[in-house]
């Protein structure tokens, strides 16, 4: 193997630049200047192929694999029933792999596919040596992943997210990047994200990297060149500009540039410092954007009092019910695709709800109206958590263990048949597990786990690199502690980052409250919503769909949303967000049209459409308190000095 020193004559501009080069070969395409790709600071690439021989590789080189004109060629002249592979002799675990591939023989080219394989084991396949069991990262026909652990495809060929078959340059060279870190595998092709997949750790093991020539009944040929590997890379994709860095891809401006006052925004500092001095919070992060640009992002206090570590702007937090808007977005993406309809009965997808009952004074009664997808999105389905006020409902909820991290989502679905509703669907509003049920609908309809859907369809496209249902081992140092407060100045450690349950992937991915995230990541999501469904050139939703999310969808007869005896006068609920419809004494500093929500650890966010203002405040204190939102809302609105 030849070491490529990034501090070579090829260094250009700033940062590390690697020239992915291979010896010239005979056709016109490869006489072009070699492509250039910037690697993150400190990364050094190693060539896996010297352009001359298959030294360092193993496989069936007498019939399928060879070196011709400076490229690796995988070819079958006649049908080969089993796929065959060319493997590196060395094994790898965490790596960045860069390569270029071209299909030169095959029926209409794109009707066939091949793959890179990794993180599995070499096996014998149909009597042929050098088969493979493990993840296969496919390209040309199927940009995605086929899991050869006998679990079949885990990234559907008909997936309609950022993954698109038209990223392929048919008959030409395709630049591929594969990034493997921990249990996450990402792939980009020709500068576009095509896959983002997370698997169980026990399914992924160090192994050689292989090039696959897929089994096929027709002659085919693939060529490979410019194979470069980086071991133990950083966690950003090198070939996708929108995901290279959270801060780089979030547009910024000074407050004055967007009609706000820096001096008045400095009052945010004083309010946060006061809360910390009074021991009401350990620390927090505040992020403000106007007109699509971030004007303030600051961290205060400690993320971990016991370890005496500071809160930082990229600290990872438990966002609990801030998960709900993301789950609703996922469902609405499926609505736009025609896979579900808003007024569909939920029992169409979860048949257990056909027999669900409704509590009444004498026991239970039958449904008089189906629970619909809309009911789940706006919390009019009749679900609660285990504090509904109904002894019958609460007893059933606790007995069934409805929401548990260690119970798979298919079991959650089964239990819904035995959980009664608090009221006939659409006749009242009650906050509860409706969005968890909605998340299960997303899984059933899409064929993906909720974690997979989120990663592939939302987090990957938006560049939300720190959002998920668990905290990877390499990010624990950025994970905040969670505290219990007595509301009077005493904080008690509730969940330490070093031993948190969030360090392990849950069996049940709660669509209602299971995510961790950062202020930057969630700002990306909210910027997408505020801009009518698009962010950084990626569209997730249509503007008319976002309008449904951000306008009140609760039937007029139901009235305003409420929690027990607390009626939030003037506030309704859209599909995923609360919505301010009228001014009232409840949250008097809120503005008409304002929408948002929060999370159980006292995280908050709100958007004012008429001001084009987005605010996120994150802390980790339970039970939920309004302290930060109520302190900051008036201060931030007062800082607006000019119309948007």
């Amino acid at each position: 193997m030849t070491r490529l020193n990034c501090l070579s004559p090829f260094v250009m501009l700033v940062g590390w630049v690697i020239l992915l080069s291979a010896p010239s070969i005979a056709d016109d395409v490869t006489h072009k200047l070699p492509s250039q790709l910037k690697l993150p600071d400190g990364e050094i690439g190693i060539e896996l192929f010297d352009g001359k021989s298959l030294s360092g590789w193993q496989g069936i080189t007498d019939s399928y694999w060879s070196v011709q004109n400076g490229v690796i060629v995988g070819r079958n002249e006649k049908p080969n029933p089993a796929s065959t592979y060319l493997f590196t002799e060395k094994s790898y675990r965490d790596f960045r792999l860069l390569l270029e591939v071209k299909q030169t023989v095959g029926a209409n080219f794109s009707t066939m596919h091949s793959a890179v394989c990794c993180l599995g084991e070499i096996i014998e396949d149909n009597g042929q040596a050098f088969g493979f069991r493990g993840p296969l990262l496919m390209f040309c026909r199927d940009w995605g992943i086929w899991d050869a652990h006998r679990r079949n495809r885990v990234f559907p060929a008909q997936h309609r997210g950022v993954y698109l078959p038209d990223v392929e340059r048919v008959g030409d060279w395709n630049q591929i990047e594969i990034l493997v870190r921990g249990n996450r595998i990402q792939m980009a092709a020709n500068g576009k994200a095509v896959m983002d997949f997370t698997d169980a750790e026990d399914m992924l093991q160090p192994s050689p990297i292989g090039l696959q020539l897929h089994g096929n009944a027709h002659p085919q040929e693939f060529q490979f060149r410019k194979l470069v590997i980086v071991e133990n890379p950083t966690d950003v994709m090198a070939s996708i500009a929108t995901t290279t860095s959270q801060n780089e891809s979030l547009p910024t401006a000074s407050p004055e540039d967007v009609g706000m006052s820096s001096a008045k925004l400095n009052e945010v500092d004083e309010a946060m410092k006061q809360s910390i001095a009074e021991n009401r919070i350990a620390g927090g992060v505040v992020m403000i954007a106007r007109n699509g640009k971030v004007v303030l992002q600051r961290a205060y206090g400690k993320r971990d009092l016991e370890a005496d570590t500071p809160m930082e702007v990229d600290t990872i937090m438990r966002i609990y019910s801030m998960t709900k808007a993301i789950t609703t977005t996922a469902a609405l993406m499926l609505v736009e695709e025609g896979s579900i309809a808003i007024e569909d009965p939920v029992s169409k997808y979860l048949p257990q709800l056909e027999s669900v009952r409704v509590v009444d004074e004498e026991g239970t009664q039958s449904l008089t109206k189906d629970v619909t997808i809309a009911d789940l999105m706006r919390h009019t389905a009749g679900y609660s958590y285990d504090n509904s006020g109904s002894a019958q409902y609460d007893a059933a909820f606790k007995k069934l263990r409805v929401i548990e991290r260690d119970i798979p989502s298919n079991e959650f679905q089964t239990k819904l048949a035995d959980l009664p509703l608090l009221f006939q669907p659409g006749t009242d509003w009650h906050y509860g597990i409706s969005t968890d049920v909605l998340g299960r609908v997303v899984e059933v309809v899409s064929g993906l786990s909720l974690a997979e859907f989120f990663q592939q369809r939302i987090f990957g496209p938006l560049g939300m690199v720190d959002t998920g249902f668990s905290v990877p081992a390499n990010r624990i140092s950025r994970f905040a502690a969670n505290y219990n407060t007595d509301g009077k100045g005493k904080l008690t450690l509730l969940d330490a980052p070093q031993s948190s349950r969030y360090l392990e992937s849950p069996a049940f991915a709660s669509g209602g409250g299971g995510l961790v995230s950062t202020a930057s990541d969630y700002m990306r999501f909210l910027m997408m919503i505020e801009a009518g469904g698009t962010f950084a050139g990626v569209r997730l939703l249509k503007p008319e769909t976002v309008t449904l999310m951000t306008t009140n969808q609760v039937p007029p007869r139901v009235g305003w949303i409420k929690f027990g005896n607390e009626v939030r006068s003037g506030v309704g609920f859209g599909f995923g967000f609360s919505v301010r419809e009228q001014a009232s004494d409840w949250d008097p500093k809120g503005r008409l049209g304002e929408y948002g929500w929060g999370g159980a650890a006292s995280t908050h966010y709100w958007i004012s459409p008429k001001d084009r203002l987005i605010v996120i405040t994150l802390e980790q204190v339970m039970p939920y308190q309004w302290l930060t939102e109520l302190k900051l809302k008036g201060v931030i609105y007062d800082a607006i000095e000019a119309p948007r």
Side-chain angles (χ1 to χ4, degrees):
M1 297 183 185
T2 304
R3 191 175 187 82
L4 296 182
N5 189 334
C6 293
L7 291 176
S8 68
F10 298 118
V11 174
M12 302 174 63
L13 303 176
V14 227
W16 298 85
V17 178
I18 187 169
L19 189 63
L20 303 182
S21 60
S24 297
I25 64 175
D27 61 68
D28 291 335
V29 172
T30 54
H31 282 331
K32 296 177 181 177
L33 290 175
S35 59
Q36 297 171 349
L37 186 67
K38 291 183 180 180
L39 290 177
D41 288 354
E43 288 193 4
I44 295 177
I46 305 294
E47 283 186 328
L48 291 176
F49 172 55
D50 62 9
K52 300 176 182 178
S53 71
L54 293 178
S55 175
W57 294 82
Q58 54 184 325
I60 305 178
T61 57
D62 57 348
S63 56
Y64 291 111
W65 298 96
S66 62
V67 177
Q68 298 180 27
N69 298 319
V71 301
I72 295 175
V73 177
R75 176 192 297 128
N76 70 302
E77 303 288 355
K78 56 185 179 180
N80 57 317
S83 296
T84 185
Y85 300 82
L86 182 69
F87 292 106
T88 59
E89 292 178 351
K90 181 180 176 180
S91 291
Y92 299 90
R93 181 57 180 87
D94 288 355
F95 61 85
R96 183 192 312 281
L97 178 67
L98 307 164
L99 71 149
E100 291 188 356
V101 60
K102 175 172 66 171
Q103 186 176 9
T104 55
V105 175
N108 298 324
F109 292 149
S110 61
T111 62
M112 294 183 179
H113 66 252
S114 199
V116 166
C117 63
C118 57
L119 307 177
E121 58 179 331
I122 299 174
I123 61 170
E124 184 176 303
D125 188 7
N126 285 338
Q128 178 176 279
F130 300 109
F132 188 76
R133 178 182 294 119
L136 308 177
L137 284 71
M138 300 180 297
F139 40 76
C140 287
R141 189 185 75 177
D142 294 317
W143 298 104
I145 185 167
W146 181 281
D147 176 43
H149 285 294
R150 298 181 180 175
R151 293 184 294 167
N152 299 317
R153 186 190 306 277
V154 290
F155 190 82
Q158 300 305 312
H159 174 59
R160 289 171 283 187
V162 167
Y163 148 74
L164 292 170
D166 61 9
V167 299
E168 179 195 359
R169 297 169 181 162
V170 178
D172 203 345
W173 290 104
N174 294 270
Q175 184 185 76
I176 296 175
E177 178 185 6
I178 296 167
L179 180 62
V180 176
R181 283 177 57 92
N183 62 344
R184 183 180 182 187
I185 306 172
Q186 300 176 75
M187 183 162 70
N190 300 322
K192 295 183 180 180
V194 291
M195 188 200 73
D196 196 329
F197 174 67
T198 303
D199 203 353
E201 288 279 2
D202 59 0
M203 288 292 181
L204 309 174
Q205 60 187 16
S207 79
I209 293 172
L211 308 178
Q212 182 207 45
L213 183 65
H214 194 271
N216 209 286
H218 304 283
Q220 60 178 324
E221 178 181 293
F222 284 87
Q223 296 182 1
F224 303 85
R225 69 178 187 180
K226 301 181 182 178
L227 291 104
V228 173
I229 195 165
V230 176
E231 295 191 70
N232 299 311
T234 58
D235 59 358
V236 296
M237 297 291 282
S239 61
I240 310 175
T242 56
T243 59
T244 55
S245 164
Q246 293 185 74
N247 294 326
E248 284 179 8
S249 61
L250 280 175
T252 60
S254 71
E256 282 69 24
D257 287 342
V258 295
M260 299 186 76
S261 165
S262 295
K264 290 182 179 179
L265 284 180
N266 286 337
E267 295 179 27
V268 170
D269 296 354
E270 299 307 312
M272 293 297 290
K273 290 175 182 177
Q274 180 186 38
S275 294
I276 292 166
E278 294 172 353
N279 218 34
R280 298 291 304 276
I281 62 175
V285 174
V286 178
M287 194 169 191
I288 303 171
R290 193 176 192 218
N291 296 346
K293 296 180 180 180
V294 174
V295 298
L296 183 146
Q297 184 179 19
R298 296 175 189 168
Y300 307 89
K302 304 291 184 181
R303 69 168 177 265
D304 188 331
L305 292 172
E306 287 69 26
D308 194 31
T309 52
M311 185 70 76
E312 296 175 313
V313 293
D314 65 347
T315 293
I316 298 172
M317 314 258 198
R318 304 154 193 79
I319 63 169
Y320 289 109
S321 287
M322 287 169 63
T323 304
K324 288 180 168 66
I326 294 175
T327 302
T328 307
T329 295
L332 287 168
M333 292 170 77
L334 294 173
V335 169
E336 287 191 352
E337 294 168 6
S339 299
I340 61 178
I342 288 174
E343 294 303 327
D344 276 348
V346 180
S347 59
K348 179 178 178 179
Y349 311 103
L350 309 182
Q352 288 78 6
L353 269 69
E354 290 180 349
S355 58
V356 75
R357 307 279 294 177
V358 180
V359 298
D360 65 13
E361 294 180 356
E362 299 180 358
T364 62
Q365 59 180 266
S366 300
L367 282 177
T368 60
K369 178 182 177 296
D370 288 325
V371 179
T372 65
I373 298 296
D375 286 322
L376 297 181
M377 291 180 177
R378 67 193 179 202
H379 296 285
T380 56
Y383 287 115
S384 179
Y385 290 108
D386 61 353
N387 55 352
S388 69
S390 164
Q392 185 178 356
Y393 178 94
D394 292 347
F397 192 98
K398 292 174 182 177
K399 180 180 179 181
L400 291 167
R401 296 180 61 211
V402 176
I403 302 290
E404 298 285 345
R405 283 176 66 88
D406 60 348
I407 295 177
S409 56
N410 61 330
E411 292 186 27
F412 164 76
Q413 176 181 337
T414 299
K415 292 177 180 183
L416 294 177
D418 297 318
L419 182 66
L421 303 178
L422 290 172
F423 47 78
Q424 294 290 344
T427 63
D428 203 349
W429 189 94
H430 200 102
Y431 192 61
I433 66 166
S434 290
T435 317
D436 291 287
V437 179
L438 185 66
R440 180 56 184 161
V441 172
V442 171
E443 291 185 324
V444 170
V445 172
S446 70
L448 299 172
S449 72
L450 200 59
E452 291 166 350
F453 190 99
F454 282 177
Q455 193 61 59
Q456 295 169 14
R457 303 292 304 273
I458 300 174
F459 302 158
L462 295 182
M464 297 171 67
V465 296
D466 287 319
T467 306
F469 287 100
S470 62
V471 180
N474 65 326
R475 301 180 194 179
I476 296 173
S477 63
R478 292 198 283 122
F479 189 32
N482 196 12
Y483 292 92
N484 183 272
T485 179
D486 66 354
K488 301 176 182 178
K490 181 179 180 181
L491 297 175
T492 306
L493 181 64
L494 186 63
D495 186 37
Q498 301 82 4
S499 57
S500 174
R501 63 181 183 172
Y502 285 95
L503 304 187
E504 300 291 336
S505 296
F508 176 68
S510 169
L515 290 174
V516 297
S517 190
T518 61
S520 292
D521 268 15
Y522 209 83
M523 180 61 79
R524 293 167 181 268
F525 172 72
L526 293 181
M527 281 184 167
M528 179 273 295
I529 295 292
E530 195 270 340
T534 186
F535 174 78
V538 175
R539 178 167 292 283
L540 297 191
L541 295 170
K542 297 175 182 178
E544 53 266 36
T545 301
V546 175
T547 298
L548 293 175
M549 301 179 75
T550 57
T551 53
N552 187 25
Q553 301 298 323
V554 178
R557 65 181 179 277
V558 172
W560 308 123
I561 68 174
K562 53 192 173 297
F563 287 79
N565 294 325
E566 178 198 41
V567 178
R568 299 185 180 178
S569 299
V571 181
F573 211 89
F575 289 155
F577 301 103
S578 64
V579 183
R580 165 70 69 173
E581 281 208 316
Q582 293 180 11
S584 73
D585 290 337
W586 190 88
D587 187 18
K589 294 177 182 178
R591 296 198 172 181
L592 292 180
E594 181 185 287
Y595 59 93
W597 203 239
S602 305
T603 58
H604 317 266
Y605 66 90
W606 69 90
I607 298 175
S608 175
K610 73 174 184 178
D611 297 303
R612 288 213 63 197
L613 180 77
I614 306 173
V615 181
I616 299 172
T617 73
L618 302 181
E619 59 201 62
Q620 298 284 268
V621 174
M622 299 179 79
Y624 183 85
Q625 58 182 9
W626 289 96
L627 177 70
T628 302
E629 180 172 355
L630 295 180
K631 269 191 172 185
L632 298 187
K633 185 169 283 187
V635 170
I636 294 170
Y637 279 135
D638 287 346
I640 297 174
E641 296 184 322
R644 61 185 176 90

